[in-house]
């Protein structure tokens, strides 16, 4: 990284190594640019980019709404190759209008070829050349920050490569079939992606990974990192079998999360572990890994299961209630909740609307139940995350060669408006639903027979704060349905997903204001009667 002595930015180079009488030519492991994954290192001046007056501060974690995107498919402007970072930046105004205030970028490190999900990093420090290289990423970050959008990026430290990987036997040495100085050279090297797990016990490798984390938050001014597959950093296999522990991987995660937290206060470290282990998000000084949040498999799987089954009788409202109320720590925002992600809509699985009604993702059932899931995501405690295209009912399973179908923007504008309205309520932009950013959740009403649940969200309590969410998982409407309410008086409907402005085929079932009387119900001091449409979400709160 930086300027190589005696060479100007843009010059191409390789290192010449002499090892045991053998002459080797290798790319710079710290190169910020390579001409391609099989090309040359390029001299790069990291200080030359003009950041202007960028002094962006990411929103507090309890106010974040994340949008996960894949640069290569987020924009369809490049017919001969993947979309670029500059193309993706052209959609930032769209994202700002939608209301998201953080993007989570799938991996940007140089990978083999031009098309990839990105989870095969050949050069961890180089920005993918097909995406535009490091300056293009800096332009993207600067433009995102100017629009109030934080930038998180994926890092892949559970393995490198495996293809086009010049780190493999970098200096010519390797033990047995091992990869040499950057990798374990025994059974610990084995991952689902090849024998390329870094040697977390070698100090030089620990420094290499630590320097990489520093680069994203320092040189590129990212606002956080999403760590891919942390279970493969702390264990040899996904099943955490006896004897498969990797203590050096665990302490490496602790060291990096601790250092980044001290050097970049407010930066968000997210673990994709999917094991339901609270230790990932516990503080380092308490023995935890120190992540701020982790992707929550205990939310996405039961929620999707309740939405995907054909028969209402099969929807388990107790599982839904547990998913809504689950927390790893006393901090309700130590988890990321979602119904779609790059993993959930690929590898044999489809987009949620397609799973609901195969072959007809635009059916009434698909739109109603998938948006019911979105309402759960955007009202449950946790950091909500959407996957690209979710807001326009994208039905194509994720492929790195197939761009989003932006032609859906106009005909599905109502659904996009629904997402915008939900995001605005989640962020309390109208000042009426502050409780959705609070720590408190009480799932006080669970009706498994009729398939309704209701829960209370609070931050400080009182009018314009205490918020009640009702989710109807049944294909029928209810009138004069009684639920418990925390406070007396009039409760106003802030959101009704059955409004036909969101979909011309929606029922527009009227959701009237609710008057809480003196009768206690569901463990709350008061109660009131609501009206709710089929497969519908209601959000209600009181005025000041």
């Amino acid at each position: 990284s930086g300027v190589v002595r005696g060479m100007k930015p843009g010059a191409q180079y390789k290192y010449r190594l002499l090892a045991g009488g053998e002459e080797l030519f290798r790319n710079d492991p710290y190169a910020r640019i390579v001409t391609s994954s099989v090309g040359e290192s390029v001299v790069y001046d990291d200080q030359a980019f003009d950041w202007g007056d960028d002094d962006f501060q990411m929103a507090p974690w309890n106010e974040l709404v994340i949008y996960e995107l894949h640069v290569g498919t987020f924009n369809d402007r490049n017919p001969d190759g993947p979309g670029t970072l500059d193309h993706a930046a052209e959609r930032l105004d769209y994202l700002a209008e939608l209301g998201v205030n953080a993007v989570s970028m799938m991996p940007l490190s140089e990978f083999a070829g031009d098309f990839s999900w990105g989870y095969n990093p050949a050069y961890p420090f180089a920005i993918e050349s097909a995406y535009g290289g490091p300056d293009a990423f800096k332009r993207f970050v600067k433009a995102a920050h100017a629009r109030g959008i934080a930038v998180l990026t994926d890092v892949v430290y559970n393995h490198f490569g495996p293809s086009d990987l010049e780190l493999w036997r970098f200096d010519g040495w390797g033990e047995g079939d091992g990869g040499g100085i950057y990798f374990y050279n025994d059974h610990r090297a084995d991952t689902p992606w090849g024998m390329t797990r870094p040697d977390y016990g070698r100090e030089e490798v620990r420094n290499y990974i630590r320097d990489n984390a520093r680069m994203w938050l320092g040189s590129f001014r990212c606002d956080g990192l999403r760590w891919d597959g942390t279970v493969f950093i702390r264990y040899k296999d996904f099943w955490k079998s006896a004897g498969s522990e990797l203590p050096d991987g665990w302490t490496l995660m602790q060291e990096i999360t601790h250092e980044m937290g001290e050097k970049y206060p407010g930066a968000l470290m997210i673990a994709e572990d999917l094991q339901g282990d609270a230790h990932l998000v516990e503080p380092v000084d308490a023995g935890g890994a120190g992540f701020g949040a982790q992707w929550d498999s205990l939310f996405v799987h039961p929620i999707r299961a309740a939405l995907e089954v054909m028969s209402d009788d099969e929807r388990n409202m107790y599982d839904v209630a547990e998913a809504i109320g689950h927390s790893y720590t006393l901090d309700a925002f130590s988890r990321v909740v979602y119904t779609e992600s790059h993993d959930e809509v690929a590898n044999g699985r489809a987009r949620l609307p397609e799973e609901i009604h195969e072959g007809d993702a635009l059916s009434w059932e698909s739109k109603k139940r998938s948006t019911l899931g979105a309402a759960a995501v955007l009202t449950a405690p946790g950091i909500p995350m959407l996957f690209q295209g979710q807001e326009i009912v994208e039905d194509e399973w994720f492929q790195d060669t197939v761009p989003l179908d932006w032609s859906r923007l106009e005909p599905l504008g109502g659904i996009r408006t629904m997402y915008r309205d939900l995001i605005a309520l989640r962020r309390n932009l109208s000042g009426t639903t502050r409780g959705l950013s609070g720590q408190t959740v009480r799932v006080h009403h669970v009706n498994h027979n009729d398939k309704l649940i209701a829960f209370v969200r609070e931050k400080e309590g009182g009018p314009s704060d205490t918020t009640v969410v009702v989710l109807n998982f049944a294909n029928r409407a209810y009138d004069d349905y009684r639920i418990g309410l925390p406070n007396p008086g009039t409760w106003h409907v802030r959101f009704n997903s059955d409004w036909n402005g969101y979909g011309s085929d929606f029922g527009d079932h009227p959701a009237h204001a609710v008057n809480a009387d003196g009768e206690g119900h569901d463990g709350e001091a008061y109660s009131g009667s609501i009206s709710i449409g089929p497969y519908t979400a209601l959000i209600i709160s009181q005025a000041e």
Side-chain angles (χ1 to χ4, degrees), residues 42 98 116 247 346:
V42 179
L98 187 63
S116 173

Side-chain angles (χ1 to χ4, degrees), residues 186-207:
D186 56 22
H187 66 94
R188 293 172 294 178
D190 191 20
T191 76
W193 310 278
M195 300 286 290
T196 58
R197 181 180 280 118
D199 185 345
Y200 307 126
R202 189 186 294 268
E203 192 60 29
E204 296 86 349
V205 177
R206 295 171 75 89
N207 287 336

Side-chain angles (χ1 to χ4, degrees), residues 100-328:
V100 299
N101 56 3
V103 291
S104 182
M105 317 286 286
M106 289 174 64
L108 301 173
S109 295
E110 185 76 29
F111 47 71
D114 290 343
F115 295 92
S116 173
W117 289 23
Y119 298 99
N120 53 332
Y123 296 95
F125 285 79
I127 303 299
E128 170 58 37
S129 51
Y131 289 169
D135 279 353
F137 186 41
K138 289 179 178 179
R139 288 192 296 272
F140 180 91
V141 173
K142 182 178 178 180
H145 285 175
R147 290 159 176 79
I149 299 174
V151 178
L152 316 173
T153 190
D154 277 18
V155 291
V156 185
Y157 299 147
N158 52 53
H159 73 287
F160 294 146
S163 52
D164 293 356
L165 187 60
E166 283 203 5
L167 295 180
W168 185 263
R169 298 202 168 190
F170 186 77
D171 64 353
W173 174 82
E175 189 173 295
D177 294 330
I181 59 175
Y182 281 92
F183 306 94
Y184 288 116
N185 284 260
D186 56 22
H187 66 94
R188 293 172 294 178
D190 191 20
T191 76
W193 310 278
M195 300 286 290
T196 58
R197 181 180 280 118
D199 185 345
Y200 307 126
R202 189 186 294 268
E203 192 60 29
E204 296 86 349
V205 177
R206 295 171 75 89
N207 287 336
Y208 183 72
I209 294 173
R210 189 181 295 110
D211 287 344
N212 188 260
R214 291 170 179 149
M215 177 192 74
W216 295 111
L217 298 185
S219 296
F220 290 106
R221 302 196 181 187
C222 291
D223 304 288
L225 304 176
R226 180 264 191 193
W227 290 49
D228 181 62
T230 52
V231 66
F232 295 106
I233 298 176
R234 61 194 188 104
Y235 284 92
K236 182 178 177 294
D237 56 52
F238 189 79
W239 300 273
K240 303 188 295 185
S241 55
S244 73
E245 299 88 351
L246 296 170
D248 291 328
W250 180 261
T251 59
L252 177 64
M253 292 192 297
Q254 289 180 311
E255 291 173 8
I256 294 178
T257 58
H258 178 72
E259 178 188 332
M260 297 303 107
E262 286 197 333
K263 191 170 184 179
Y264 303 100
L268 177 57
M269 294 285 168
I270 300 173
E272 186 226 11
D273 203 78
L274 304 179
Q275 303 296 299
D277 190 339
H279 289 91
L280 271 295
V281 290
E282 291 173 350
V284 171
D285 58 12
F291 287 94
Q294 63 175 311
W295 280 21
D296 191 11
S297 60
L298 300 180
F299 180 91
V300 60
H301 295 154
I303 295 295
R304 278 188 68 122
L307 294 168
E308 290 175 7
V309 292
M310 294 183 63
S311 170
D312 286 353
D313 292 339
E314 298 179 66
R315 306 189 204 288
N316 190 320
M317 301 314 295
Y318 301 114
D319 287 349
V320 171
E322 187 173 350
I324 294 289
H326 174 251
S327 180
Y328 286 101

